[in-house]
Amino acid sequence: MTKDHEAIIDDVLRLAQEHPYADISRDFYRKFGKFSMDDVSSLFGTFRSLRSHIRKDFKPYRAKINEGRNERIQNILAHTDPATSIPAASGIYMWVNTSNLKVYVGQSKNLRTRRRQHQTQLQQGIHPNKHLQASWDVYGSMVFRFCVITLVDAEKGELTLKEQEFIDLFGSLDPNLGYNRSHAQPTRG
């Protein structure tokens, strides 16, 4: 690899960290471990194009997320009673680490069953989300709270859209703010 190639890769990675939609390139980088030069050229062109469309007064997405984020989470925690039973209905939920306010946002057609699945996997140390699992292991189960954010009619097909709305609202794709590793996907159950 030449110095020019390394410089391009450095530029792509720097832009990936600065750009609001950077998680796509980081996911790609994590999955494949390295870029081919075609990938680098393509990504670099995409970032250059996106950068040219951003106005000078553009406010970074992270700043929008941080405005009132913690207050919204605290408000949800204050209005969620852990002793209340979780409904067997469809909706959007989140796991909140109450020590640092990191969140994991998800969707389910049966919130009660989904909570039990998460809790069982986390307690057994086999949760597929390694970031969430590691945090559970470090902080302990007493720090995490399961909260129902909103009930959504699964028949209307709005679960994925609502989940993405809350992933964006809480910034849970950012590893400093949350545990989500990907954008909302249609629910499996």
Side-chain angles (χ1 to χ4, degrees):
M1 183 179 304
T2 68
K3 294 262 188 220
D4 289 338
H5 293 140
E6 290 175 9
I8 291 171
I9 291 171
D10 288 342
D11 283 343
V12 169
L13 293 175
R14 182 182 48 76
L15 287 170
Q17 290 174 346
E18 295 171 1
H19 199 275
Y21 301 102
D23 58 294
I24 295 167
S25 64
R26 282 195 301 264
D27 288 347
F28 181 86
Y29 185 77
R30 282 189 198 113
K31 183 175 182 180
F32 297 104
K34 62 181 178 178
F35 294 106
S36 71
M37 282 319 298
D38 290 338
D39 296 328
V40 170
S41 299
S42 174
L43 284 171
F44 189 68
T46 301
F47 284 119
R48 188 173 29 216
S49 174
L50 287 170
R51 187 176 54 194
S52 70
H53 294 319
I54 296 175
R55 297 183 309 267
K56 290 180 183 176
D57 62 341
F58 176 75
K59 194 173 187 181
Y61 190 65
R62 181 174 299 212
K64 290 180 187 177
I65 291 169
N66 287 335
E67 290 174 6
R69 174 192 180 274
N70 291 350
E71 291 80 13
R72 285 190 292 273
I73 293 171
Q74 292 286 10
N75 189 34
I76 290 171
L77 287 170
H79 292 91
T80 303
D81 181 4
T84 306
S85 69
I86 306 297
S90 61
I92 308 302
Y93 64 89
M94 72 177 173
W95 280 97
V96 180
N97 180 331
T98 58
S99 69
N100 59 18
L101 296 183
K102 280 188 175 184
V103 299
Y104 173 85
V105 177
Q107 63 172 297
S108 180
K109 291 182 181 174
N110 185 324
L111 292 164
R112 185 180 305 150
T113 301
R114 189 65 184 123
R115 177 186 182 274
R116 199 169 29 247
Q117 288 170 340
H118 273 295
Q119 200 162 17
T120 300
Q121 289 175 327
L122 288 164
Q123 288 171 343
Q124 293 176 353
I126 59 170
H127 198 279
N129 184 319
K130 301 304 177 202
H131 187 191
L132 180 59
Q133 181 68 60
S135 194
W136 180 279
D137 294 342
V138 168
Y139 291 98
S141 63
M142 298 305 290
V143 170
F144 284 86
R145 289 260 306 271
F146 183 89
C147 302
V148 175
I149 302 173
T150 186
L151 299 178
V152 179
D153 185 359
E155 300 303 317
K156 292 184 179 178
E158 297 175 359
L159 274 172
T160 304
L161 292 174
K162 275 291 186 192
E163 179 188 8
Q164 188 60 52
E165 180 182 318
F166 285 106
I167 286 172
D168 293 341
L169 180 68
F170 296 118
S172 60
L173 284 171
D174 181 339
N176 297 314
L177 300 175
Y179 300 106
N180 287 82
R181 294 289 134 245
S182 65
H183 295 280
Q185 307 286 324
T187 190
R188 293 174 296 278

